[in-house]
DNA sequence: TCGTGATTTGACCATCTGGTCAAACTCACG
DNA sequence: CGTGAGTTTGACCAGATGGTCAAATCACGA
């Protein structure tokens, strides 16, 4: 398949179908647990046909990760340095929680990759992600210095936001098992709780 | 191998070596990504020899999970209903964070299992874990009613403790990548941050 | 309608993997 | 030191899996 020409209609359709199927399969079985056959079947293609569009299983996985990384970090970039600090952070938290609710497969895919030591995206974490977080940490430091929010470690603040929001996607099964049938949707409670938690943490002390 | 007799010296030694090796391999590669050969080699045995002690790959995994579940939940059981509420909860958080630091492989093993939908321990979650959490939630409700701690959703409080502490084990690579070489040990900062976070959240409002 | 490049597929291959088995070896104990 | 239970292993198997390839089929612009 020519890589240099503009993609044909069929190429667009099939590549999209493959990535969608791959997201399903990789996020539930992990890289190793996923099979090319399974992805091909789910995408409505034969295995050799799938391998016509992506050279190898690795290539599918890499393409998928790359395409999702930006989307995943968009909410962090959307924080407005000139907005109301507490509101900006609370909005960020809400957006991240909504992403856990609406895109749990993406969350689990990343969780999987990172638990395994981030073999495919370690470089991106140490470079792009680090500098993005460094910038945000600087912004938070400024907000603290200006007295808009309470004094907290900005890095651990960011880690805690990631942790608490993604937990609802990654550990969904456990959460539902513990809450039982009486509370089938954990997200309203989660949203209220996280609002309360971060408001109390970040509101400057009297 | 006779299962009914008391285990011999060799059986004890080899079973222990197998579970230790299995913890290593399963926690870094997941169930599917781990191979029996790899576990056997790491345990210093041949593959058929390993399968003499555990019938199958599944059996190793099941034995490992079972042996670890209790240990993993011990800190929750250790909360003293008659202690100082805030201190009991902060101690629980510290213990959980220490477990992430000292037993990251166990944490990742569970994370892996649950991300995949907890196929092997779903029943335990819905039964034993649920009732243990229900009890603790009752205790927290009592503490709130008595005015010892602020009003929070007890279930989401517990989820947040699990999330925040286990995050440091499961996402270790990401955390170290973001913090960079300047701060090689995330745990002191994490400990201080979590203390601050939960103290502010749980201290009753004036 | 034709020709060419894009797409699809059946057949195939090498390797890996979980698991089996009979035979060989080792250990503890009488 | 002999014996039987406990332990170890090399050889092997069947199925799964990632990937290849030549040939067949399809789509579309001239």
């Amino acid at each position: 398949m020519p890589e240099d020409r503009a993609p044909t209609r069929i190429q667009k359709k099939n590549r999209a179908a493959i990535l969608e199927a791959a997201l399903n399969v990789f996020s539930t079985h992990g890289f190793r647990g996923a099979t090319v056959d399974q992805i091909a079947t789910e995408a409505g293609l034969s295995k050799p046909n799938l391998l016509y569009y992506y050279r190898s299983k690795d290539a599918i996985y890499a393409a998928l990760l790359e395409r999702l990384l930006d989307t995943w970090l968009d909410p962090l970039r959307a924080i407005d340095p000139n907005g109301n600090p507490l509101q900006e952070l609370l909005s960020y938290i809400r957006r991240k929680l909504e992403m856990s609710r609406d895109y749990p497969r993406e969350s689990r895919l990343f969780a999987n990759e990172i638990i395994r030591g981030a073999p495919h995206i370690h470089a991106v974490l140490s470079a792009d992600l680090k500098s993005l977080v460094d910038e945000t940490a600087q912004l938070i430091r400024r907000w603290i210095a200006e007295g808009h929010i309470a004094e907290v470690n900005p890095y651990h603040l960011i880690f805690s936001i990631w942790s608490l929001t993604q937990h609802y996607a990654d550990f969904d099964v456990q959460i539902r098992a513990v809450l039982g049938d009486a509370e089938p949707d954990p997200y309203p409670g989660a949203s209220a709780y996280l609002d309360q938690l971060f408001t109390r943490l970040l509101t400057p002390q009297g």
Side-chain angles (χ1 to χ4, degrees), chain A residues 21 25 35-47 50:
Chain A
V25 178
T35 76
V36 177
D37 248 325
Q38 204 179 347
I39 298 171
T41 303
E42 202 152 314
L45 301 172
S46 66
K47 188 170 60 166
L50 181 149

Side-chain angles (χ1 to χ4, degrees), chain A residues 168 172-187 189-190:
Chain A
Y168 286 95
D172 182 79
V173 181
Q174 176 173 267
I175 284 166
R176 289 177 196 273
V178 167
L179 289 181
D181 299 327
E183 201 171 343
D185 181 4
Y187 281 96

Side-chain angles (χ1 to χ4, degrees), chain A residues 138-204:
Chain A
Q138 272 305 102
L139 175 61
I140 292 170
R141 281 216 187 86
R142 201 195 81 205
W143 284 344
I144 293 170
E146 292 172 353
H148 297 304
I149 58 175
E151 180 154 4
V152 294
N153 183 312
Y155 288 94
H156 289 278
L157 172 61
I158 293 168
F159 296 153
S160 68
I161 293 172
W162 291 345
S163 159
L164 288 168
T165 54
Q166 292 173 13
H167 188 76
Y168 286 95
D170 303 342
F171 288 73
D172 182 79
V173 181
Q174 176 173 267
I175 284 166
R176 289 177 196 273
V178 167
L179 289 181
D181 299 327
E183 201 171 343
D185 181 4
Y187 281 96
S191 181
Y193 176 78
L194 293 186
D195 250 55
Q196 180 188 10
L197 186 153
F198 282 105
T199 302
R200 288 217 186 144
L201 173 66
L202 295 172
T203 300

Side-chain angles (χ1 to χ4, degrees), chain A residues 23 71-72 98-108 169:
Chain A
L23 176 57
T71 317
W72 207 240
E98 282 162 17
M99 291 188 70
S100 279
R101 187 193 58 200
D102 300 335
Y103 305 101
R105 296 177 303 172
E106 285 81 347
S107 186
R108 283 193 273 264

